[in-house]
């Protein structure tokens, strides 16, 4: 075992021994990632008699998290640099607006996300947009995207 790994482990044991409280930490060994839990077992005087060690291999969870983070980074890059306005609605509010949607509408991100999205849809398209929104909320099949007119700020 490399000296720096051995020292880190001794430091963790010393912390559990001196403070008499559990310690959770993650580390890597031989290309795997582990979640470690050191639990002090106290004697009748409250002194650490033993330390129970629980180790769980979290390599797959860690890799999945890293993949998710990378996927989200790519998604945000795509959405934020798209040449078209992109918005995501939830519960009748805009939850995500990209820079192009802000530029097209003339509203700030705060203005776009603070009210009901239907207020910004042009009256000619409100019925169509609202019907699609309600169908989507009900789990029905609706187009992934559609073109609509909006009311711009100015």
């Amino acid at each position: 075992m490399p000296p720096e790994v051995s020292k880190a482990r001794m430091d963790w044991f010393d912390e559990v021994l001196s403070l008499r409280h559990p310690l959770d930490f993650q580390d890597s060994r031989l290309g795997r990632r582990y979640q470690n839990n050191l639990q002090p077992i106290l004697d009748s005087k409250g002194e650490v008699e033993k330390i129970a060690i629980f180790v769980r291999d979290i390599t797959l969870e860690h890799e999945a998290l890293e993949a998710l983070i990378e996927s989200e980074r790519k998604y945000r890059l795509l959405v934020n640099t798209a040449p078209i306005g992109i918005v995501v609605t939830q519960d009748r509010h805009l939850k995500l607006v990209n820079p192009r949607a802000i530029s097209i509408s003339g509203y700030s991100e705060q203005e776009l996300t603070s009210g009901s999205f239907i207020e910004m849809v042009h009256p000619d398209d409100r019925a169509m947009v609202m019907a699609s929104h309600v169908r989507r909320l009900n789990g029905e099949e609706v187009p992934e995207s559609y073109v609509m007119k909006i009311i711009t700020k100015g």
Side-chain angles (χ1 to χ4, degrees):
M1 178 179 315
E4 65 276 2
V5 173
S6 179
K7 174 161 181 7
R9 290 188 180 164
M10 288 306 298
D11 289 345
W12 292 323
F13 277 95
D14 287 344
E15 183 176 337
V16 172
L17 287 169
S18 65
L19 300 177
R20 296 188 302 272
H21 68 77
L23 179 65
D24 287 303
F25 61 93
Q26 293 182 10
D27 69 349
S28 299
R29 297 185 293 281
L30 303 172
R32 307 295 295 176
R33 187 120 180 130
Y34 297 95
Q35 176 67 44
N36 303 274
N37 177 264
L38 306 180
Q39 288 286 335
I41 299 174
L42 306 178
D43 63 17
S44 59
K45 296 177 186 173
E47 297 299 320
V48 177
E49 182 178 6
K50 300 175 186 175
I51 297 176
I53 303 169
F54 301 93
V55 180
R56 186 171 67 91
D57 186 337
I58 59 167
T59 304
L60 293 178
E61 291 96 334
H62 182 73
E63 290 171 351
L65 178 60
E66 292 295 317
L68 177 62
I69 290 169
E70 178 61 14
S71 175
E72 287 177 350
R73 186 192 68 77
K74 288 178 182 177
Y75 173 79
R76 289 202 182 280
L77 179 65
L78 175 67
V79 168
N80 287 334
T81 59
I84 60 171
I86 298 174
V87 299
V88 176
T89 62
Q90 182 181 351
D91 300 325
R92 298 183 186 210
H93 289 85
L94 297 179
K95 295 296 182 177
L96 179 139
V97 293
N98 75 340
R100 186 67 180 132
I102 293 168
S103 173
I104 291 169
S105 72
Y107 294 100
S108 69
E109 182 176 3
Q110 163 96 27
E111 290 171 313
L112 288 170
T113 57
S114 62
S116 172
F117 77 88
I118 202 68
E119 296 168 8
M120 303 202 184
V121 177
H122 190 278
D124 293 349
D125 290 337
R126 281 185 185 163
M128 177 268 301
V129 170
M130 200 59 189
S132 280
H133 183 67
V134 169
R135 284 197 316 272
R136 179 171 279 125
L137 290 176
N138 290 333
E140 298 174 32
E141 293 276 330
V142 294
E144 289 282 322
S145 62
Y146 43 87
V147 177
M148 65 180 168
K149 294 182 272 185
I150 63 169
I151 301 170
T152 61
K153 189 171 184 178

